[in-house]
Structures are given as structure tokens and as C-alpha cells.
């Protein structure tokens, strides 16, 4: 995998490149990323439609292949209040890879913040579509709900 950082946008050749992007993004936003998980549908696909509400802290991915919907991490709890923005890329694509970067309060500790990263499945542009605070424990089970 590799990330081309030479242009205005970072472009990744591989879904796993979201990791490097959210790590850099997290450092800039002052919450460093310690853990990363790539979203994968139970059918094995990593291509999704993505809808999120950054204010409520809700993100939903819909598998392009099997249409299964999944709320990322703890976001189903807040879904009723959500006003969703639909992810689309400047290239016209609505299909993205999704990965979540987690910032921890301390090494091996609880989550304090998460970033929903994405990579356009068509042109590879990397971005962060939503992010929200986690202020309860235990929280590390969220790693498995990406
Ligand atoms: Zn699927
Ligand atoms: Zn694109």
C-alpha cells in the first residue's frame, strides 16, 4: 500500500491506506490515533455507501454488494436523532472504503475519540467524513463494531 501526498488530496491505492491518513489527520486534530480497524461487511466486501451525522456522532455504512446496513461502533444508539449527510466524491463516485481510527486516553486504555475515515473506491482520494467523542467505559468493544 502507498499514499501519494504530492497533490492537494491524499490518494491511497489500497483500502488499508485509510489508516495512514487518519493517523496523520488525528495528529493534526490533536487526538492521536492509536488503533485502526477497516470496515468489512460479513459478505467480505469493503465497498460501501456511507451516511453520517457529524454532530450526533452517527455513521452508517451500506454494503454495495449485499445491501446490508451497519451502524458504526456506538452510533445506532443515536441514529434516531441523526440528520444524515450522504458521502460522495468529487469524481462522482458514491462508493467508498471505510475505516475507523481510535484515539485512546492512554496506552491500552479507553477510547476518547474516533475518526471515520474513507477512501473513494474509484479515484482513491482519502478523507475523514465524521468524528465523535467517546466518554464512557468500557469502550474497547467498539473496535469490533466498525
Ligand atoms: Zn455485504
Ligand atoms: Zn473519487
Amino acid at each position: 500500500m502507498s499514499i501519494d501526498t504530492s497533490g492537494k488530496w491524499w490518494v491511497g491505492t489500497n483500502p488499508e491506506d485509510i489508516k495512514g491518513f487518519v493517523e496523520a489527520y488525528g495528529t493534526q486534530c490533536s487526538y492521536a490515533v492509536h488503533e485502526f480497524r477497516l470496515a468489512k461487511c460479513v459478505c467480505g466486501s469493503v465497498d460501501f455507501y456511507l451516511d453520517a451525522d457529524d454532530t450526533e456522532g452517527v455513521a452508517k455504512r451500506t454494503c454495495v454488494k449485499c445491501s446490508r446496513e451497519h451502524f458504526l461502533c456506538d452510533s445506532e444508539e443515536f441514529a434516531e436523532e441523526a440528520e444524515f449527510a450522504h458521502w460522495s466524491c468529487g469524481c462522482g463516485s458514491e462508493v467508498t472504503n471505510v475505516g475507523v481510527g481510535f484515539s485512546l486516553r492512554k496506552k491500552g486504555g479507553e477510547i476518547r475519540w474516533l475518526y471515520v475515515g474513507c477512501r473513494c473506491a474509484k479515484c482513491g482520494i482519502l478523507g475523514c467524513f465524521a468524528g465523535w467523542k467517546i466518554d464512557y467505559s468500557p469502550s474497547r468493544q467498539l473496535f469490533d463494531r466498525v
Side-chain angles (χ1 to χ4, degrees):
M1 60 182 171
S2 69
I3 302 178
D4 178 0
T5 60
S6 60
K8 185 179 172 205
W9 303 98
W10 284 26
V11 176
T13 53
N14 184 296
E16 288 284 345
D17 288 331
I18 297 170
K19 180 174 187 279
F21 178 82
V22 291
E23 282 172 354
Y25 188 90
T27 304
Q28 256 183 21
C29 296
S30 82
Y31 290 127
V33 168
H34 305 96
E35 294 278 344
F36 174 80
R37 297 291 187 279
L38 186 70
K40 197 180 219 179
C41 182
V42 287
C43 79
S45 176
V46 293
D47 293 337
F48 302 100
Y49 303 114
L50 180 64
D51 294 276
D53 180 334
D54 195 39
T55 311
E56 293 294 333
V58 178
K60 182 181 75 169
R61 58 171 165 82
T62 305
C63 178
V64 170
K65 207 166 145 194
C66 75
S67 301
R68 197 179 303 257
E69 292 186 352
H70 174 76
F71 285 93
L72 273 66
C73 300
D74 63 350
S75 55
E76 189 158 18
E77 279 180 56
F78 310 99
E80 274 183 25
E81 308 291 319
E83 290 181 38
F84 287 104
H86 184 64
W87 183 92
S88 65
C89 182
C91 78
S93 170
E94 290 185 28
V95 179
T96 183
N97 308 131
V98 177
V100 176
F102 297 92
S103 183
L104 306 180
R105 292 176 193 277
K106 63 175 194 292
K107 196 163 180 262
E110 300 298 331
I111 300 164
R112 67 176 164 185
W113 195 269
L114 63 81
Y115 300 95
V116 179
C118 45
R119 173 191 167 273
C120 175
K122 196 172 160 197
C123 75
I125 280 180
L126 296 158
C128 181
F129 194 53
W132 60 86
K133 189 179 178 183
I134 304 291
D135 57 3
Y136 53 83
S137 65
S139 59
R140 292 173 62 89
Q141 72 279 9
L142 302 184
F143 295 155
D144 300 322
R145 296 191 195 157
V146 168

